Amino acid sequence: MTLSEKLSQGIGRRALVMIEVFPFFIVGTLDDVQGDHINIIAEFGVPLQFQGKDFNLNIANIAALYVEENEGEILRMQ
């Protein structure tokens, strides 16, 4: 199974993505996986004006990534 196939199984789940450039980390919902890119809808970890926005990230630019297997593993910020 390729990384893209594994990530595709997490579509619709929450994910925490750490990247090497600002905003450094994004927590949100994994919305799509296309080849070597993921699309995540940001909940937090980004400036307020970007919350709820789509981020399209190249897998090569991701330092660490975790996709929830069970709901609630990534805490929600209130």
Side-chain angles (χ1 to χ4, degrees), residues 19-71:
I19 52 180
E20 296 178 358
V21 297
F22 184 80
F24 304 113
F25 81 96
I26 301 168
V27 175
T29 303
L30 185 59
D31 187 51
D32 195 17
V33 178
Q34 294 291 326
D36 61 351
H37 285 80
I38 67 167
N39 191 60
I40 186 167
I41 302 170
E43 291 177 20
F44 67 91
V46 296
L48 287 174
Q49 64 267 31
F50 297 118
Q51 290 179 0
K53 303 291 183 188
D54 292 347
F55 282 78
N56 188 299
L57 303 170
N58 186 304
I59 292 171
N61 296 326
I62 296 173
L65 170 67
Y66 180 77
V67 178
E68 284 186 331
E69 293 181 15
N70 300 299
E71 189 172 335

Side-chain angles (χ1 to χ4, degrees), residues 9-24:
Q9 293 177 345
I11 292 175
R13 297 183 188 162
R14 295 181 74 236
L16 184 147
V17 181
M18 297 180 77
I19 52 180
E20 296 178 358
V21 297
F22 184 80
F24 304 113

